[in-house]
Amino acid sequence: MLPLLILLAFLAVPALEIFVLILVGGAIGVWPVIGLLAAETVLGAWLVRREGRRAFGALHDTVRTGVLQDRELGDAALVMAGGMLLLFPGFVTDAVGLVLVLPFTRPLVRRALSAFAARRLRAAEERAATVFPPGPGAGFDPFGRGPGPERVETPPGPVVRGEVIREDDDTASRA
């Protein structure tokens, strides 16, 4: 479903941009539309530079302190996506890009995307639980770490005894 939506977006967004450009051009003229698009590009570049510095500075401080918070990472991603949209000529992509870049609308978008991602994750977990139902061996760790204080020294089932031969010093150890 998602690849179909992406394909439709790639087809619909340019058509919508052309439609809006024709409507605005018919209302105010061609040269004012070109001037408005140039002004939006300059304003968008300045805004992305300013907000990008803030977002990436906060992300750098978060990584430097060792505590990664989702707000800084989300802000950096939204500023980058908004900046990319501001680079495309057109009023619709500029409007969406500004919503992603502006500091007072970005938290709303971040929360909405976070809620959407949480819903998708829960749905994926439910689908995975129907495909891979938890059984008697669920949670087995092949490295010997049990789920609690008890440890599993050997995995359940047959143990194959063997010999490890190291070519570098021709020593053999028995397993």
Side-chain angles (χ1 to χ4, degrees):
M1 180 75 177
L2 190 60
L4 179 63
L5 288 174
I6 292 172
L7 178 67
L8 288 175
F10 273 113
L11 295 175
V13 169
L16 182 63
E17 288 287 4
I18 292 170
F19 177 72
V20 171
L21 283 172
I22 290 172
L23 282 179
V24 174
I28 65 173
V30 173
W31 291 111
V33 167
I34 293 172
L36 192 56
L37 287 175
E40 283 181 350
T41 302
V42 170
L43 175 69
W46 174 79
L47 195 57
V48 166
R49 185 174 178 178
R50 191 186 98 193
E51 291 302 314
R53 278 190 191 150
R54 283 186 188 173
F56 285 109
L59 181 63
H60 181 267
D61 290 342
T62 301
V63 171
R64 187 176 41 84
T65 59
V67 180
L68 184 62
Q69 297 177 1
D70 59 345
R71 187 178 75 79
E72 284 81 8
L73 187 61
D75 280 352
L78 288 175
V79 167
M80 188 168 44
M84 292 298 294
L85 287 173
L86 286 169
L87 291 177
F88 295 127
F91 294 116
V92 177
T93 54
D94 285 347
V96 174
L98 283 174
V99 167
L100 295 178
V101 170
L102 290 174
F104 52 88
T105 57
R106 196 174 358 162
L108 301 172
V109 174
R110 187 179 353 102
R111 275 183 284 217
L113 287 176
S114 177
F116 175 74
R119 279 194 315 271
R120 294 286 306 232
L121 186 61
R122 278 193 299 275
E125 287 173 348
E126 291 171 4
R127 282 192 307 271
T130 60
V131 174
F132 303 107
F140 172 71
D141 185 3
F143 299 107
R145 298 179 302 255
E150 69 276 355
R151 288 180 49 101
V152 178
E153 294 301 324
T154 59
V159 176
V160 178
R161 300 277 176 204
E163 184 175 321
V164 177
I165 300 174
R166 296 185 186 144
E167 294 181 18
D168 56 345
D169 58 359
D170 292 331
T171 59
S173 62
R174 303 259 179 216

